[in-house]
Amino acid sequence: DAGITQSPRHKVTETGTPVTLRCHQTENHRYMYWYRQDPGHGLRLIHYSYGVKDTDKGEVSDGYSVSRSKTEDFLLTLESATSSQTSVYFCAIRGQSVLSGANVLTFGAGSRLTVL
Amino acid sequence: ILNVEQSPQSLHVQEGDSTNFTCSFPSSNFYALHWYRWETAKSPEALFVMTLNGDEKKKGRISATLNTKEGYSYLYIKGSQPEDSATYLCAPGPRDDKIIFGKGTRLHILP
């Protein structure tokens, strides 16, 4: 799907354990994003990256860290997972649409995380 | 944090009827506005990116307008069909990199 994959797609973990979600792209796009989906909140931005080793916080960054050591991979880490971090996490890349020419987000399929 | 409001939160429309909904944002320091369609159990997909005051974009039965001076964008759907049932998200921003979405308008098309 437009060269973006997320792994794992599903994960169940326990409170207090570390979790890392991976976003991998084959499009060589500079910008990558992590969002979380929650009922009543739509999509909320956690962190984003504008290049290798360049990242910035979003709306709900507390409890999350990210790393981008190479263009193709953007990792989201929950150092000590809590039940409030149960959610579906979407990665997105930003690049030029072949249809419109505009810079748009292309989303991965999502990673469903359950923290017990 | 940019104050983005989408209204209504939820909308039920009879199949065949036309409808519209709104994305409101602070008019100062505007750069671009994105519209996305998000079907249940799928990933969001881009509809439009708009940058200029007075911009109008169209994709099939869906169109959008932009008023940056007063800080709003309308999304219109003409002759609603069941496949239009989705959540429609807007992301207006003062910057091109930090893309923050509104809470969305959830559209239900009634047969």
Side-chain angles (χ1 to χ4, degrees), chain A residues 31 33 35 37 40-43 45 48 56-59 90 94 99 102-105 107-110, chain B residues 1-2 9 34 36 38 41-46 48-49 59 89 95-104:
Chain A
Y31 289 89
Y33 300 78
Y35 292 89
Q37 169 194 357
H41 291 280
L43 278 178
L45 179 65
Y48 71 102
D56 200 358
K57 294 180 179 180
E59 304 168 271
F90 284 95
R94 187 166 73 90
L99 292 176
N103 273 323
V104 297
L105 296 180
F107 286 84
Chain B
I1 300 294
L2 189 67
Q9 283 189 335
H34 295 235
Y36 288 77
W38 190 10
K42 293 188 177 180
S43 303
E45 293 182 340
F48 308 113
V49 178
K59 186 176 184 177
L89 300 170
R95 294 156 55 174
D96 192 35
D97 51 357
K98 194 168 187 174
I99 299 175
I100 291 177
F101 290 92
K103 294 183 180 180

mmCIF file of all heavy atoms in Angstrom, chain A residues 31 33 35 37 40-43 45 48 56-59 90 94 99 102-105 107-110, chain B residues 1-2 9 34 36 38 41-46 48-49 59 89 95-104:
data_model
loop_
_atom_site.group_PDB
_atom_site.id
_atom_site.type_symbol
_atom_site.label_atom_id
_atom_site.label_comp_id
_atom_site.label_asym_id
_atom_site.label_seq_id
_atom_site.Cartn_x
_atom_site.Cartn_y
_atom_site.Cartn_z
ATOM 1 N N TYR A 31 9.289 13.084 5.499
ATOM 2 C CA TYR A 31 8.432 13.232 6.674
ATOM 3 C C TYR A 31 7.727 11.929 7.009
ATOM 4 O O TYR A 31 7.122 11.290 6.141
ATOM 5 C CB TYR A 31 7.376 14.315 6.432
ATOM 6 C CG TYR A 31 7.927 15.721 6.410
ATOM 7 C CD1 TYR A 31 8.377 16.296 5.233
ATOM 8 C CD2 TYR A 31 7.981 16.472 7.584
ATOM 9 C CE1 TYR A 31 8.884 17.586 5.221
ATOM 10 C CE2 TYR A 31 8.478 17.766 7.582
ATOM 11 C CZ TYR A 31 8.933 18.310 6.396
ATOM 12 O OH TYR A 31 9.424 19.588 6.391
ATOM 13 N N TYR A 33 5.137 10.236 10.362
ATOM 14 C CA TYR A 33 4.281 10.639 11.475
ATOM 15 C C TYR A 33 3.756 9.412 12.224
ATOM 16 O O TYR A 33 3.521 8.366 11.626
ATOM 17 C CB TYR A 33 3.062 11.419 10.954
ATOM 18 C CG TYR A 33 3.395 12.675 10.188
ATOM 19 C CD1 TYR A 33 3.829 12.610 8.865
ATOM 20 C CD2 TYR A 33 3.257 13.927 10.777
ATOM 21 C CE1 TYR A 33 4.136 13.768 8.165
ATOM 22 C CE2 TYR A 33 3.555 15.088 10.075
ATOM 23 C CZ TYR A 33 3.992 14.988 8.767
ATOM 24 O OH TYR A 33 4.287 16.138 8.070
ATOM 25 N N TYR A 35 0.406 8.667 14.687
ATOM 26 C CA TYR A 35 -0.865 9.115 15.248
ATOM 27 C C TYR A 35 -1.479 7.972 16.056
ATOM 28 O O TYR A 35 -1.202 6.812 15.806
ATOM 29 C CB TYR A 35 -1.862 9.481 14.145
ATOM 30 C CG TYR A 35 -1.505 10.698 13.328
ATOM 31 C CD1 TYR A 35 -0.724 10.585 12.180
ATOM 32 C CD2 TYR A 35 -1.973 11.961 13.686
ATOM 33 C CE1 TYR A 35 -0.410 11.704 11.422
ATOM 34 C CE2 TYR A 35 -1.667 13.095 12.933
ATOM 35 C CZ TYR A 35 -0.892 12.949 11.802
ATOM 36 O OH TYR A 35 -0.593 14.064 11.050
ATOM 37 N N GLN A 37 -5.451 6.625 17.328
ATOM 38 C CA GLN A 37 -6.876 6.762 17.085
ATOM 39 C C GLN A 37 -7.621 6.450 18.371
ATOM 40 O O GLN A 37 -7.402 5.396 18.971
ATOM 41 C CB GLN A 37 -7.326 5.752 16.012
ATOM 42 C CG GLN A 37 -8.826 5.636 15.875
ATOM 43 C CD GLN A 37 -9.241 4.405 15.080
ATOM 44 O OE1 GLN A 37 -8.405 3.655 14.585
ATOM 45 N NE2 GLN A 37 -10.530 4.214 14.928
ATOM 46 N N GLY A 40 -13.947 9.546 19.799
ATOM 47 C CA GLY A 40 -14.220 10.911 20.228
ATOM 48 C C GLY A 40 -13.078 11.879 20.018
ATOM 49 O O GLY A 40 -13.234 13.084 20.234
ATOM 50 N N HIS A 41 -11.933 11.372 19.626
ATOM 51 C CA HIS A 41 -10.765 12.238 19.430
ATOM 52 C C HIS A 41 -10.230 12.205 18.008
ATOM 53 O O HIS A 41 -9.337 12.976 17.662
ATOM 54 C CB HIS A 41 -9.639 11.849 20.385
ATOM 55 C CG HIS A 41 -9.931 12.140 21.819
ATOM 56 N ND1 HIS A 41 -9.795 13.398 22.374
ATOM 57 C CD2 HIS A 41 -10.373 11.337 22.805
ATOM 58 C CE1 HIS A 41 -10.129 13.341 23.656
ATOM 59 N NE2 HIS A 41 -10.483 12.111 23.940
ATOM 60 N N GLY A 42 -10.739 11.312 17.195
ATOM 61 C CA GLY A 42 -10.230 11.221 15.837
ATOM 62 C C GLY A 42 -8.810 10.703 15.841
ATOM 63 O O GLY A 42 -8.483 9.715 16.505
ATOM 64 N N LEU A 43 -7.938 11.389 15.121
ATOM 65 C CA LEU A 43 -6.521 11.040 15.054
ATOM 66 C C LEU A 43 -5.726 12.116 15.771
ATOM 67 O O LEU A 43 -5.843 13.295 15.448
ATOM 68 C CB LEU A 43 -6.058 10.994 13.591
ATOM 69 C CG LEU A 43 -6.310 9.758 12.776
ATOM 70 C CD1 LEU A 43 -5.812 9.972 11.364
ATOM 71 C CD2 LEU A 43 -5.646 8.542 13.394
ATOM 72 N N LEU A 45 -1.859 13.470 16.870
ATOM 73 C CA LEU A 45 -0.454 13.376 16.510
ATOM 74 C C LEU A 45 0.396 13.130 17.757
ATOM 75 O O LEU A 45 0.318 13.878 18.732
ATOM 76 C CB LEU A 45 -0.002 14.662 15.809
ATOM 77 C CG LEU A 45 1.456 14.735 15.377
ATOM 78 C CD1 LEU A 45 1.760 13.691 14.311
ATOM 79 C CD2 LEU A 45 1.778 16.133 14.859
ATOM 80 N N TYR A 48 6.412 13.357 15.143
ATOM 81 C CA TYR A 48 6.695 13.263 13.723
ATOM 82 C C TYR A 48 8.186 13.488 13.493
ATOM 83 O O TYR A 48 8.911 13.948 14.384
ATOM 84 C CB TYR A 48 5.840 14.238 12.906
ATOM 85 C CG TYR A 48 6.205 15.694 13.064
ATOM 86 C CD1 TYR A 48 6.945 16.363 12.096
ATOM 87 C CD2 TYR A 48 5.767 16.415 14.172
ATOM 88 C CE1 TYR A 48 7.262 17.694 12.233
ATOM 89 C CE2 TYR A 48 6.078 17.741 14.326
ATOM 90 C CZ TYR A 48 6.822 18.385 13.346
ATOM 91 O OH TYR A 48 7.134 19.716 13.489
ATOM 92 N N ASP A 56 10.045 15.756 16.283
ATOM 93 C CA ASP A 56 9.397 16.794 17.076
ATOM 94 C C ASP A 56 8.147 16.214 17.699
ATOM 95 O O ASP A 56 7.587 15.224 17.211
ATOM 96 C CB ASP A 56 9.055 17.999 16.200
ATOM 97 C CG ASP A 56 8.835 19.269 17.017
ATOM 98 O OD1 ASP A 56 8.919 19.215 18.275
ATOM 99 O OD2 ASP A 56 8.550 20.314 16.413
ATOM 100 N N LYS A 57 7.710 16.852 18.792
ATOM 101 C CA LYS A 57 6.538 16.360 19.512
ATOM 102 C C LYS A 57 5.260 16.789 18.819
ATOM 103 O O LYS A 57 5.198 17.832 18.155
ATOM 104 C CB LYS A 57 6.537 16.914 20.941
ATOM 105 C CG LYS A 57 7.683 16.398 21.787
ATOM 106 C CD LYS A 57 7.623 16.991 23.173
ATOM 107 C CE LYS A 57 8.766 16.463 24.028
ATOM 108 N NZ LYS A 57 8.738 17.019 25.401
ATOM 109 N N GLY A 58 4.222 15.974 19.045
ATOM 110 C CA GLY A 58 2.897 16.325 18.576
ATOM 111 C C GLY A 58 2.012 16.735 19.727
ATOM 112 O O GLY A 58 2.464 17.339 20.707
ATOM 113 N N GLU A 59 0.724 16.382 19.630
ATOM 114 C CA GLU A 59 -0.264 16.792 20.645
ATOM 115 C C GLU A 59 -0.198 15.945 21.911
ATOM 116 O O GLU A 59 -0.491 16.426 23.006
ATOM 117 C CB GLU A 59 -1.671 16.620 20.079
ATOM 118 C CG GLU A 59 -1.961 17.345 18.794
ATOM 119 C CD GLU A 59 -3.268 16.849 18.218
ATOM 120 O OE1 GLU A 59 -3.242 15.870 17.438
ATOM 121 O OE2 GLU A 59 -4.328 17.443 18.553
ATOM 122 N N PHE A 90 -1.437 4.677 13.994
ATOM 123 C CA PHE A 90 -1.241 4.801 12.556
ATOM 124 C C PHE A 90 0.054 5.560 12.281
ATOM 125 O O PHE A 90 0.310 6.614 12.862
ATOM 126 C CB PHE A 90 -2.396 5.581 11.913
ATOM 127 C CG PHE A 90 -3.654 4.779 11.766
ATOM 128 C CD1 PHE A 90 -4.649 4.846 12.732
ATOM 129 C CD2 PHE A 90 -3.849 3.968 10.660
ATOM 130 C CE1 PHE A 90 -5.819 4.114 12.600
ATOM 131 C CE2 PHE A 90 -5.014 3.236 10.515
ATOM 132 C CZ PHE A 90 -5.993 3.305 11.489
ATOM 133 N N ARG A 94 4.632 11.492 4.298
ATOM 134 C CA ARG A 94 4.137 12.636 3.529
ATOM 135 C C ARG A 94 4.942 12.772 2.262
ATOM 136 O O ARG A 94 6.165 12.896 2.318
ATOM 137 C CB ARG A 94 4.227 13.920 4.330
ATOM 138 C CG ARG A 94 3.569 15.127 3.652
ATOM 139 C CD ARG A 94 3.404 16.265 4.633
ATOM 140 N NE ARG A 94 4.678 16.897 4.924
ATOM 141 C CZ ARG A 94 5.194 17.921 4.243
ATOM 142 N NH1 ARG A 94 4.540 18.407 3.209
ATOM 143 N NH2 ARG A 94 6.342 18.444 4.584
ATOM 144 N N LEU A 99 -1.691 11.789 -8.225
ATOM 145 C CA LEU A 99 -2.924 12.259 -8.854
ATOM 146 C C LEU A 99 -3.000 13.784 -8.863
ATOM 147 O O LEU A 99 -3.292 14.405 -9.876
ATOM 148 C CB LEU A 99 -4.133 11.686 -8.121
ATOM 149 C CG LEU A 99 -4.342 10.178 -8.256
ATOM 150 C CD1 LEU A 99 -5.517 9.725 -7.396
ATOM 151 C CD2 LEU A 99 -4.593 9.801 -9.708
ATOM 152 N N ALA A 102 -0.180 17.337 -4.965
ATOM 153 C CA ALA A 102 -0.082 17.955 -3.649
ATOM 154 C C ALA A 102 0.642 17.030 -2.680
ATOM 155 O O ALA A 102 0.639 15.807 -2.844
ATOM 156 C CB ALA A 102 -1.474 18.268 -3.111
ATOM 157 N N ASN A 103 1.257 17.622 -1.666
ATOM 158 C CA ASN A 103 1.894 16.834 -0.620
ATOM 159 C C ASN A 103 0.833 16.357 0.365
ATOM 160 O O ASN A 103 0.236 17.150 1.084
ATOM 161 C CB ASN A 103 2.937 17.674 0.125
ATOM 162 C CG ASN A 103 4.277 17.618 -0.554
ATOM 163 O OD1 ASN A 103 4.669 16.582 -1.085
ATOM 164 N ND2 ASN A 103 4.975 18.733 -0.556
ATOM 165 N N VAL A 104 0.603 15.051 0.386
ATOM 166 C CA VAL A 104 -0.444 14.486 1.231
ATOM 167 C C VAL A 104 0.135 13.376 2.094
ATOM 168 O O VAL A 104 1.226 12.861 1.835
ATOM 169 C CB VAL A 104 -1.607 13.913 0.395
ATOM 170 C CG1 VAL A 104 -2.274 15.010 -0.407
ATOM 171 C CG2 VAL A 104 -1.143 12.777 -0.497
ATOM 172 N N LEU A 105 -0.621 13.022 3.133
ATOM 173 C CA LEU A 105 -0.238 11.901 3.973
ATOM 174 C C LEU A 105 -0.768 10.597 3.383
ATOM 175 O O LEU A 105 -1.914 10.532 2.927
ATOM 176 C CB LEU A 105 -0.821 12.059 5.378
ATOM 177 C CG LEU A 105 -0.344 13.234 6.218
ATOM 178 C CD1 LEU A 105 -1.022 13.228 7.579
ATOM 179 C CD2 LEU A 105 1.167 13.209 6.375
ATOM 180 N N PHE A 107 -1.227 6.729 4.766
ATOM 181 C CA PHE A 107 -1.226 6.044 6.057
ATOM 182 C C PHE A 107 -0.940 4.551 5.901
ATOM 183 O O PHE A 107 -1.312 3.923 4.898
ATOM 184 C CB PHE A 107 -2.591 6.206 6.740
ATOM 185 C CG PHE A 107 -2.820 7.581 7.297
ATOM 186 C CD1 PHE A 107 -3.293 8.598 6.497
ATOM 187 C CD2 PHE A 107 -2.565 7.846 8.632
ATOM 188 C CE1 PHE A 107 -3.496 9.875 7.000
ATOM 189 C CE2 PHE A 107 -2.769 9.114 9.157
ATOM 190 C CZ PHE A 107 -3.233 10.133 8.342
ATOM 191 N N GLY A 108 -0.296 4.005 6.935
ATOM 192 C CA GLY A 108 -0.172 2.562 7.041
ATOM 193 C C GLY A 108 -1.483 1.953 7.490
ATOM 194 O O GLY A 108 -2.478 2.656 7.722
ATOM 195 N N ALA A 109 -1.478 0.634 7.614
ATOM 196 C CA ALA A 109 -2.710 -0.094 7.922
ATOM 197 C C ALA A 109 -3.087 -0.048 9.389
ATOM 198 O O ALA A 109 -4.182 -0.469 9.760
ATOM 199 C CB ALA A 109 -2.576 -1.541 7.460
ATOM 200 N N GLY A 110 -2.204 0.446 10.235
ATOM 201 C CA GLY A 110 -2.505 0.564 11.655
ATOM 202 C C GLY A 110 -1.963 -0.593 12.466
ATOM 203 O O GLY A 110 -1.842 -1.723 11.974
ATOM 204 N N ILE B 1 -1.266 24.557 20.525
ATOM 205 C CA ILE B 1 -2.029 23.605 19.735
ATOM 206 C C ILE B 1 -3.090 24.364 18.951
ATOM 207 O O ILE B 1 -3.808 25.181 19.501
ATOM 208 C CB ILE B 1 -2.713 22.551 20.633
ATOM 209 C CG1 ILE B 1 -1.676 21.782 21.427
ATOM 210 C CG2 ILE B 1 -3.564 21.629 19.776
ATOM 211 C CD1 ILE B 1 -0.753 20.929 20.609
ATOM 212 N N LEU B 2 -3.170 24.115 17.658
ATOM 213 C CA LEU B 2 -4.133 24.777 16.788
ATOM 214 C C LEU B 2 -5.537 24.355 17.169
ATOM 215 O O LEU B 2 -5.825 23.183 17.350
ATOM 216 C CB LEU B 2 -3.836 24.386 15.351
ATOM 217 C CG LEU B 2 -4.611 25.141 14.286
ATOM 218 C CD1 LEU B 2 -4.212 26.589 14.259
ATOM 219 C CD2 LEU B 2 -4.373 24.495 12.934
ATOM 220 N N GLN B 9 -20.491 16.923 14.588
ATOM 221 C CA GLN B 9 -19.684 15.745 14.935
ATOM 222 C C GLN B 9 -20.181 14.519 14.187
ATOM 223 O O GLN B 9 -19.413 13.641 13.808
ATOM 224 C CB GLN B 9 -19.764 15.475 16.439
ATOM 225 C CG GLN B 9 -18.917 16.393 17.271
ATOM 226 C CD GLN B 9 -18.869 15.943 18.719
ATOM 227 O OE1 GLN B 9 -19.795 15.264 19.187
ATOM 228 N NE2 GLN B 9 -17.827 16.304 19.430
ATOM 229 N N HIS B 34 -5.796 20.274 4.842
ATOM 230 C CA HIS B 34 -5.979 18.932 4.261
ATOM 231 C C HIS B 34 -7.366 18.421 4.622
ATOM 232 O O HIS B 34 -7.832 18.606 5.748
ATOM 233 C CB HIS B 34 -4.967 17.949 4.855
ATOM 234 C CG HIS B 34 -3.537 18.227 4.540
ATOM 235 N ND1 HIS B 34 -2.715 17.293 3.968
ATOM 236 C CD2 HIS B 34 -2.757 19.326 4.730
ATOM 237 C CE1 HIS B 34 -1.498 17.793 3.824
ATOM 238 N NE2 HIS B 34 -1.496 19.022 4.281
ATOM 239 N N TYR B 36 -9.356 14.598 4.611
ATOM 240 C CA TYR B 36 -9.172 13.154 4.459
ATOM 241 C C TYR B 36 -10.489 12.442 4.698
ATOM 242 O O TYR B 36 -11.305 12.877 5.513
ATOM 243 C CB TYR B 36 -8.127 12.616 5.450
ATOM 244 C CG TYR B 36 -6.722 13.019 5.112
ATOM 245 C CD1 TYR B 36 -6.269 14.303 5.393
ATOM 246 C CD2 TYR B 36 -5.852 12.137 4.490
ATOM 247 C CE1 TYR B 36 -4.991 14.705 5.057
ATOM 248 C CE2 TYR B 36 -4.562 12.521 4.152
ATOM 249 C CZ TYR B 36 -4.144 13.804 4.438
ATOM 250 O OH TYR B 36 -2.873 14.190 4.093
ATOM 251 N N TRP B 38 -12.048 8.768 6.000
ATOM 252 C CA TRP B 38 -11.606 7.641 6.813
ATOM 253 C C TRP B 38 -12.772 6.689 6.991
ATOM 254 O O TRP B 38 -13.676 6.922 7.792
ATOM 255 C CB TRP B 38 -11.131 8.161 8.159
ATOM 256 C CG TRP B 38 -10.434 7.189 9.032
ATOM 257 C CD1 TRP B 38 -10.003 5.935 8.715
ATOM 258 C CD2 TRP B 38 -10.076 7.406 10.388
ATOM 259 N NE1 TRP B 38 -9.385 5.360 9.784
ATOM 260 C CE2 TRP B 38 -9.414 6.244 10.844
ATOM 261 C CE3 TRP B 38 -10.231 8.458 11.276
ATOM 262 C CZ2 TRP B 38 -8.915 6.116 12.114
ATOM 263 C CZ3 TRP B 38 -9.742 8.332 12.556
ATOM 264 C CH2 TRP B 38 -9.096 7.173 12.978
ATOM 265 N N ALA B 41 -12.586 0.721 9.780
ATOM 266 C CA ALA B 41 -11.669 -0.419 9.657
ATOM 267 C C ALA B 41 -10.644 -0.238 8.529
ATOM 268 O O ALA B 41 -9.995 -1.200 8.135
ATOM 269 C CB ALA B 41 -12.428 -1.725 9.463
ATOM 270 N N LYS B 42 -10.529 0.968 8.017
ATOM 271 C CA LYS B 42 -9.511 1.238 7.004
ATOM 272 C C LYS B 42 -8.608 2.375 7.480
ATOM 273 O O LYS B 42 -8.747 2.879 8.596
ATOM 274 C CB LYS B 42 -10.181 1.614 5.682
ATOM 275 C CG LYS B 42 -10.958 0.467 5.050
ATOM 276 C CD LYS B 42 -11.432 0.855 3.660
ATOM 277 C CE LYS B 42 -12.146 -0.312 2.998
ATOM 278 N NZ LYS B 42 -12.616 0.041 1.621
ATOM 279 N N SER B 43 -7.687 2.775 6.633
ATOM 280 C CA SER B 43 -6.800 3.899 6.935
ATOM 281 C C SER B 43 -7.324 5.152 6.253
ATOM 282 O O SER B 43 -7.953 5.074 5.205
ATOM 283 C CB SER B 43 -5.390 3.589 6.438
ATOM 284 O OG SER B 43 -4.911 2.398 7.023
ATOM 285 N N PRO B 44 -7.057 6.322 6.832
ATOM 286 C CA PRO B 44 -7.496 7.574 6.188
ATOM 287 C C PRO B 44 -6.859 7.735 4.801
ATOM 288 O O PRO B 44 -5.721 7.320 4.574
ATOM 289 C CB PRO B 44 -6.992 8.661 7.137
ATOM 290 C CG PRO B 44 -6.799 7.968 8.441
ATOM 291 C CD PRO B 44 -6.389 6.569 8.113
ATOM 292 N N GLU B 45 -7.626 8.360 3.911
ATOM 293 C CA GLU B 45 -7.131 8.617 2.557
ATOM 294 C C GLU B 45 -7.307 10.090 2.218
ATOM 295 O O GLU B 45 -8.339 10.689 2.534
ATOM 296 C CB GLU B 45 -7.884 7.763 1.530
ATOM 297 C CG GLU B 45 -7.605 6.280 1.663
ATOM 298 C CD GLU B 45 -8.314 5.459 0.597
ATOM 299 O OE1 GLU B 45 -9.281 5.960 0.011
ATOM 300 O OE2 GLU B 45 -7.905 4.312 0.370
ATOM 301 N N ALA B 46 -6.323 10.655 1.558
ATOM 302 C CA ALA B 46 -6.362 12.078 1.234
ATOM 303 C C ALA B 46 -7.441 12.377 0.199
ATOM 304 O O ALA B 46 -7.617 11.646 -0.771
ATOM 305 C CB ALA B 46 -5.002 12.523 0.707
ATOM 306 N N PHE B 48 -8.258 16.255 -0.416
ATOM 307 C CA PHE B 48 -7.786 17.523 -0.974
ATOM 308 C C PHE B 48 -6.724 18.150 -0.079
ATOM 309 O O PHE B 48 -6.719 17.944 1.125
ATOM 310 C CB PHE B 48 -8.947 18.544 -1.066
ATOM 311 C CG PHE B 48 -10.174 18.052 -1.774
ATOM 312 C CD1 PHE B 48 -11.360 17.872 -1.083
ATOM 313 C CD2 PHE B 48 -10.144 17.782 -3.137
ATOM 314 C CE1 PHE B 48 -12.497 17.418 -1.726
ATOM 315 C CE2 PHE B 48 -11.271 17.336 -3.791
ATOM 316 C CZ PHE B 48 -12.451 17.157 -3.082
ATOM 317 N N VAL B 49 -5.879 18.953 -0.718
ATOM 318 C CA VAL B 49 -5.030 19.891 0.005
ATOM 319 C C VAL B 49 -5.291 21.262 -0.596
ATOM 320 O O VAL B 49 -5.261 21.426 -1.821
ATOM 321 C CB VAL B 49 -3.533 19.551 -0.137
ATOM 322 C CG1 VAL B 49 -2.694 20.594 0.596
ATOM 323 C CG2 VAL B 49 -3.254 18.174 0.420
ATOM 324 N N LYS B 59 -13.626 16.350 -6.544
ATOM 325 C CA LYS B 59 -13.237 14.974 -6.849
ATOM 326 C C LYS B 59 -14.522 14.183 -6.950
ATOM 327 O O LYS B 59 -15.110 13.779 -5.949
ATOM 328 C CB LYS B 59 -12.342 14.441 -5.728
ATOM 329 C CG LYS B 59 -11.738 13.088 -5.970
ATOM 330 C CD LYS B 59 -10.788 12.733 -4.807
ATOM 331 C CE LYS B 59 -10.089 11.427 -5.053
ATOM 332 N NZ LYS B 59 -9.128 11.123 -3.955
ATOM 333 N N LEU B 89 -12.055 14.049 7.995
ATOM 334 C CA LEU B 89 -11.121 14.772 8.852
ATOM 335 C C LEU B 89 -10.535 15.963 8.117
ATOM 336 O O LEU B 89 -10.199 15.848 6.938
ATOM 337 C CB LEU B 89 -9.958 13.864 9.260
ATOM 338 C CG LEU B 89 -10.267 12.597 10.043
ATOM 339 C CD1 LEU B 89 -9.020 11.716 10.126
ATOM 340 C CD2 LEU B 89 -10.739 12.935 11.437
ATOM 341 N N ARG B 95 1.678 25.453 9.507
ATOM 342 C CA ARG B 95 2.917 24.920 8.990
ATOM 343 C C ARG B 95 2.622 23.736 8.109
ATOM 344 O O ARG B 95 1.594 23.084 8.231
ATOM 345 C CB ARG B 95 3.814 24.471 10.148
ATOM 346 C CG ARG B 95 4.294 25.574 11.016
ATOM 347 C CD ARG B 95 4.657 25.062 12.395
ATOM 348 N NE ARG B 95 5.630 23.977 12.361
ATOM 349 C CZ ARG B 95 6.174 23.465 13.456
ATOM 350 N NH1 ARG B 95 5.838 23.922 14.636
ATOM 351 N NH2 ARG B 95 7.046 22.483 13.382
ATOM 352 N N ASP B 96 3.554 23.431 7.263
ATOM 353 C CA ASP B 96 3.353 22.348 6.326
ATOM 354 C C ASP B 96 3.781 21.006 6.904
ATOM 355 O O ASP B 96 3.486 19.965 6.357
ATOM 356 C CB ASP B 96 4.171 22.627 5.064
ATOM 357 C CG ASP B 96 3.802 21.706 3.936
ATOM 358 O OD1 ASP B 96 2.626 21.338 3.808
ATOM 359 O OD2 ASP B 96 4.707 21.342 3.168
ATOM 360 N N ASP B 97 4.460 21.001 8.042
ATOM 361 C CA ASP B 97 5.028 19.744 8.531
ATOM 362 C C ASP B 97 4.217 19.136 9.662
ATOM 363 O O ASP B 97 3.932 17.945 9.646
ATOM 364 C CB ASP B 97 6.478 19.952 8.972
ATOM 365 C CG ASP B 97 6.644 21.126 9.932
ATOM 366 O OD1 ASP B 97 5.648 21.811 10.220
ATOM 367 O OD2 ASP B 97 7.780 21.351 10.384
ATOM 368 N N LYS B 98 3.799 19.926 10.621
ATOM 369 C CA LYS B 98 3.084 19.414 11.784
ATOM 370 C C LYS B 98 1.600 19.361 11.458
ATOM 371 O O LYS B 98 0.900 20.366 11.543
ATOM 372 C CB LYS B 98 3.350 20.326 12.971
ATOM 373 C CG LYS B 98 2.963 19.759 14.317
ATOM 374 C CD LYS B 98 3.551 20.641 15.423
ATOM 375 C CE LYS B 98 3.352 20.029 16.787
ATOM 376 N NZ LYS B 98 4.054 20.831 17.833
ATOM 377 N N ILE B 99 1.115 18.198 11.066
ATOM 378 C CA ILE B 99 -0.254 18.049 10.569
ATOM 379 C C ILE B 99 -1.137 17.523 11.686
ATOM 380 O O ILE B 99 -1.029 16.357 12.081
ATOM 381 C CB ILE B 99 -0.281 17.142 9.337
ATOM 382 C CG1 ILE B 99 0.579 17.779 8.238
ATOM 383 C CG2 ILE B 99 -1.711 16.934 8.851
ATOM 384 C CD1 ILE B 99 0.739 16.945 6.991
ATOM 385 N N ILE B 100 -2.024 18.386 12.183
ATOM 386 C CA ILE B 100 -2.901 18.061 13.311
ATOM 387 C C ILE B 100 -4.340 18.099 12.827
ATOM 388 O O ILE B 100 -4.774 19.073 12.216
ATOM 389 C CB ILE B 100 -2.677 19.041 14.475
ATOM 390 C CG1 ILE B 100 -1.287 18.790 15.070
ATOM 391 C CG2 ILE B 100 -3.763 18.894 15.535
ATOM 392 C CD1 ILE B 100 -0.897 19.733 16.171
ATOM 393 N N PHE B 101 -5.083 17.033 13.134
ATOM 394 C CA PHE B 101 -6.440 16.877 12.640
ATOM 395 C C PHE B 101 -7.482 17.386 13.635
ATOM 396 O O PHE B 101 -7.281 17.364 14.850
ATOM 397 C CB PHE B 101 -6.733 15.407 12.365
ATOM 398 C CG PHE B 101 -5.993 14.844 11.189
ATOM 399 C CD1 PHE B 101 -4.767 14.222 11.347
ATOM 400 C CD2 PHE B 101 -6.523 14.947 9.912
ATOM 401 C CE1 PHE B 101 -4.081 13.712 10.255
ATOM 402 C CE2 PHE B 101 -5.844 14.444 8.818
ATOM 403 C CZ PHE B 101 -4.619 13.824 8.986
ATOM 404 N N GLY B 102 -8.630 17.798 13.090
ATOM 405 C CA GLY B 102 -9.817 17.988 13.899
ATOM 406 C C GLY B 102 -10.379 16.624 14.292
ATOM 407 O O GLY B 102 -9.885 15.581 13.857
ATOM 408 N N LYS B 103 -11.460 16.638 15.106
ATOM 409 C CA LYS B 103 -12.028 15.380 15.589
ATOM 410 C C LYS B 103 -12.876 14.681 14.535
ATOM 411 O O LYS B 103 -13.270 13.527 14.718
ATOM 412 C CB LYS B 103 -12.840 15.614 16.860
ATOM 413 C CG LYS B 103 -11.978 16.061 18.028
ATOM 414 C CD LYS B 103 -12.796 16.227 19.292
ATOM 415 C CE LYS B 103 -11.886 16.669 20.439
ATOM 416 N NZ LYS B 103 -12.637 16.836 21.704
ATOM 417 N N GLY B 104 -13.168 15.358 13.468
ATOM 418 C CA GLY B 104 -13.862 14.720 12.362
ATOM 419 C C GLY B 104 -15.371 14.883 12.392
ATOM 420 O O GLY B 104 -15.968 15.173 13.431
#
